[in-house]
Amino acid sequence: MPTFFLIVLLVPLIVSWIIFITLFILFKKKGLRLNEKQSWHFKALLISVVLVFGFFFFFKDQDFIFDCRRETQKCEYYHSTLADKELRPAGTYDISNVKNIEIRERYHRRKSGYKDYYYKIAFVSADGGFEMPYEFSFRDDARDEAAKIGAFLEKDQDVYHYERIRSAQGNFLLYFMIGIFAETIAVAGSILFGVNLFMAARENKKKKNI
């Protein structure tokens, strides 16, 4: 399945870059230049893409394990990233004083104003507690895991274990991200150069008609 998606991603990526390079060559041949504002916007886009990719590559969890033990009264958080695929400890949480479990709704605000909602499981205690370091995309998934954690805390279980292992997909996620970012640059560049070429052609047409 990942191979199929890579092929589906690769075709529009190649087409978009052919268009981008073609428009760029035409842009240069006509002796056109981006104005300061356009140049700044395009550079800002490139920097944003690099920063986003850097975050996902170096910091975003690829593999995630959250393991709680009654014997130790601790929860251990393990993770790996695309940059370092070795699963390693990333945090330890004390659950000896946890009294309750809550589901908290949060969101990432996009530039368009759109709110991308996600859900966190909170371990509530007198000292404030902590949140499970995982973002659930759906409330039902968070609710199911919260119920399992609740059963663990009520001493119905000796262990609570949650994991999401994405490294089994190989480098698919990395290739997919690179493809999306490359597609973004090609489409943005094509629009930018295409609009400038269109405006230049219209100006030339006006001059000829005078």
Side-chain angles (χ1 to χ4, degrees), residues 16-28 193 197:
S16 64
W17 270 88
I18 290 174
I19 295 173
F20 173 54
I21 293 171
T22 301
L23 290 173
F24 177 75
I25 292 172
L26 288 173
F27 186 81
K28 288 298 183 181
F193 294 127
L197 284 166

Side-chain angles (χ1 to χ4, degrees), residues 6-19 183 186-187:
L6 284 174
I7 293 173
V8 171
L9 179 66
L10 189 61
V11 172
L13 179 61
I14 292 173
V15 172
S16 64
W17 270 88
I18 290 174
I19 295 173
E183 183 84 15
V187 171

Side-chain angles (χ1 to χ4, degrees), residues 30 47 58 80 101 114 130 147 149 172 175 182 189-190 205:
K30 291 184 178 293
I47 293 172
F58 291 104
S80 68
I101 297 295
Y114 172 76
F130 63 92
I149 294 171
F172 169 69
Y175 296 149
S190 296
K205 186 176 180 181

Side-chain angles (χ1 to χ4, degrees), residues 62-65 134 136 141 145 162-166:
Q62 183 180 32
D63 293 336
F64 172 90
I65 292 178
Y134 186 82
F136 291 88
D141 292 341
E145 291 306 315
Y162 181 83
E163 66 178 46
R164 281 290 179 269
I165 305 299
R166 297 187 177 93

Side-chain angles (χ1 to χ4, degrees), residues 2 60-65 79-88 163-174:
K60 186 71 173 176
D61 289 342
Q62 183 180 32
D63 293 336
F64 172 90
I65 292 178
H79 82 150
S80 68
T81 62
L82 286 168
D84 186 351
K85 296 182 179 180
E86 181 180 354
L87 199 63
R88 57 200 181 276
E163 66 178 46
R164 281 290 179 269
I165 305 299
R166 297 187 177 93
S167 59
Q169 299 175 354
N171 290 321
F172 169 69
L173 182 59
L174 176 61

Side-chain angles (χ1 to χ4, degrees), residues 7 21-22 24 33 37 53 68 80-81 83 93 95 98 101-102 111 119 121 157 178-179 201:
I7 293 173
I21 293 171
T22 301
F24 177 75
R33 297 186 64 179
K37 185 177 180 180
F53 179 78
C68 303
S80 68
T81 62
Y93 305 89
I95 57 173
V98 172
I101 297 295
E102 293 179 356
K111 286 186 177 180
Y119 304 90
I121 296 176
Q157 301 173 3
I178 292 174

